Structure formats: C-alpha cells, structure tokens
Amino acid sequence: MQYSTEIQNMCPIQRGPQHASAPIPVEGRWVSPKDVIAISGVSHGVGTCAPQQGAAKLTLNVKNGIIEEALIETIGCSGMTHSAAMASELITGKTILEALNTDLVCDAINVAMREIFLQYVYGRTQTAFSLDGLPIGAGLEDLGKGLRSQIGTHYGTRAKGPRYMEMAEGYITKLALDENDEIIGYRFVNLGKMMESIGKGTPAEQAMELATGQYGRFDEAVRTIDPRHE
C-alpha cells in the first residue's frame, strides 16, 4: 500500500463505531454479503439498446454466486436473437460479477444484466424471502406450457383503427366485431401447443385445430376479419 507524503504526515485518529453493511434477504435468510458467493436467488432484468429498437429480458437462477440457469427473451430486433443465443452459452457457470463484465454482444442484454445485478446485490430478487429459492429449471416454468415467450403484438392507425395480432394466448387468426365494428373477441392459435402436437406425430391441420381457442364474445360477432389482411 502506498501513501502520499501528506497522509504520512497526518496524525492517526480513531474512527469510532464500526458499522457493518446492512443485511439483505437472500432466499429466506438475512445475509451481510462480503463476497459474491453470498448471493443467491431468481430474478429478472430488462434492458434496451441506445436506439431502443429492441428489448431483452434476462431471467437468472443464481446459487452461491454462480449462474446455474439463464433464460434470455428478446423482441423487436433480429440481431438481438443471435446475441441471445451467444449469451446463453456465455453466462452460465460464471459468477454474477463475471457475467456483469462479460461482453454479451448486444447492448440491450448487457443493460439487462446490469439491472438484474442491482437486484441481486441490493436484496431485491424474486426469491428474497423464499427459503432456499427455486430449483434449477424455474426459468422454463416462466414460459408456461408450450415453452414459448409470451408476446403481445398490436397495431393501430387513426384511419382504420386497431388490429390485435398476438396475445398471451397465441397468434390471432380472427377478430370478432359487433354491429358498431368494435372488437368484442378473437380467435387464436397457441403456436407452442400446436408445434408440440406436431412433434408428437399429430397431423398439422389437426394440431392447429386442437391448439385453437377463442376469447371474449366471439360467438356473438356480426362479422369476423383477418387482422393482417382485412
């Protein structure tokens, strides 16, 4: 340790009470972290790039400072999907500190890593008060049946009004309109369920029928339209 001449010439003064850092909740226990290996938990972070042409959601399952599981979901940018593929290989097995300082290629994913890091070190994770947290695999459970990200896509113009294209339930195939041409429901195809059925040998047309559902007062529609072409 090197000290400047000014510091060397100073007389020592006692500092008084030594206050420890405030404890944070870590998977149901109160911990005063001094090293990154004291950090565990499941949490989420969202980031975007400078031009904000896309966004990334990062879900991590951390045990004793090590990232054991990572889920990366992206929207709005084609290049970001490839960066997410690389990130899924890069960050598992690293500490959250290593991952914070890893080039995750896409700036949106880097920002998501920064935001989730703050949640971990300040004790704001999803499992802060859950004893022993969640098992590895919890990230996949976030996706639900069909293991597909929940996406919402909606479009509207002043001249022609709104169009629902994709909801949490799935890909919208028909919009139901009433006598005032207002939307009262929709028909959808759950693409995750459909592809899962096809993978098990169900013919595509039958799989699509099995994965089709409707929401709202669809049966009361005066007319239905294809939201992408009508």
Side-chain angles (χ1 to χ4, degrees):
M1 188 76 69
Q2 292 184 332
Y3 295 96
S4 67
T5 302
E6 290 79 7
I7 298 299
Q8 292 180 44
N9 291 333
M10 288 180 181
C11 64
I13 297 176
Q14 281 300 113
R15 289 185 293 160
Q18 302 296 308
H19 294 288
S21 61
I24 63 171
V26 175
E27 293 193 339
R29 297 175 178 85
W30 289 98
V31 175
S32 294
K34 294 180 177 62
D35 299 298
V36 71
I37 59 171
I39 302 297
S40 295
V42 172
S43 207
H44 316 272
V46 174
T48 186
C49 52
Q52 298 192 0
Q53 67 187 58
K57 176 192 170 192
L58 187 59
T59 299
L60 300 181
N61 197 343
V62 176
K63 300 294 183 185
N64 301 317
I66 305 293
I67 298 171
E68 298 287 351
E69 176 186 19
L71 170 66
I72 303 126
E73 301 173 85
T74 68
I75 190 168
C77 174
S78 58
M80 195 185 297
T81 63
H82 294 71
S83 298
M86 287 183 272
S88 68
E89 298 184 38
L90 288 171
I91 61 178
T92 52
K94 290 186 175 181
T95 68
I96 55 173
L97 185 58
E98 288 177 301
L100 183 69
N101 290 285
T102 297
D103 182 6
L104 300 177
V105 188
C106 168
D107 198 37
I109 303 175
N110 284 315
V111 172
M113 185 63 223
R114 181 192 71 197
E115 295 303 312
I116 200 172
F117 180 85
L118 294 175
Q119 293 181 36
Y120 278 104
V121 297
Y122 285 120
R124 301 294 192 272
T125 67
Q126 178 183 323
T127 55
F129 298 101
S130 301
L131 189 60
D132 295 326
L134 294 171
I136 310 306
L140 284 182
E141 292 178 8
D142 266 12
L143 295 177
K145 293 180 179 178
L147 298 180
R148 193 168 185 270
S149 296
Q150 297 193 41
I151 299 171
T153 307
H154 307 81
Y155 177 75
T157 60
R158 180 180 177 186
K160 299 295 183 178
R163 297 292 188 277
Y164 300 173
M165 297 183 182
E166 187 142 2
M167 303 285 276
E169 297 92 338
Y171 181 96
I172 307 301
T173 57
K174 291 289 183 181
L175 288 181
L177 307 180
D178 64 9
E179 62 276 4
N180 299 316
D181 283 339
E182 294 181 356
I183 298 171
I184 58 172
Y186 50 83
R187 177 170 287 161
F188 61 86
V189 176
N190 187 311
L191 295 179
K193 290 182 179 178
M194 185 181 81
M195 295 307 297
E196 193 173 339
S197 295
I198 291 173
K200 292 178 179 178
T202 305
E205 190 172 342
Q206 184 183 351
M208 181 174 176
E209 186 177 338
L210 291 170
T212 296
Q214 60 191 49
Y215 179 84
R217 296 184 289 123
F218 190 87
D219 291 333
E220 299 175 26
V222 172
R223 68 188 179 109
T224 61
I225 65 165
D226 181 332
R228 291 168 177 79
H229 303 293
E230 294 181 71

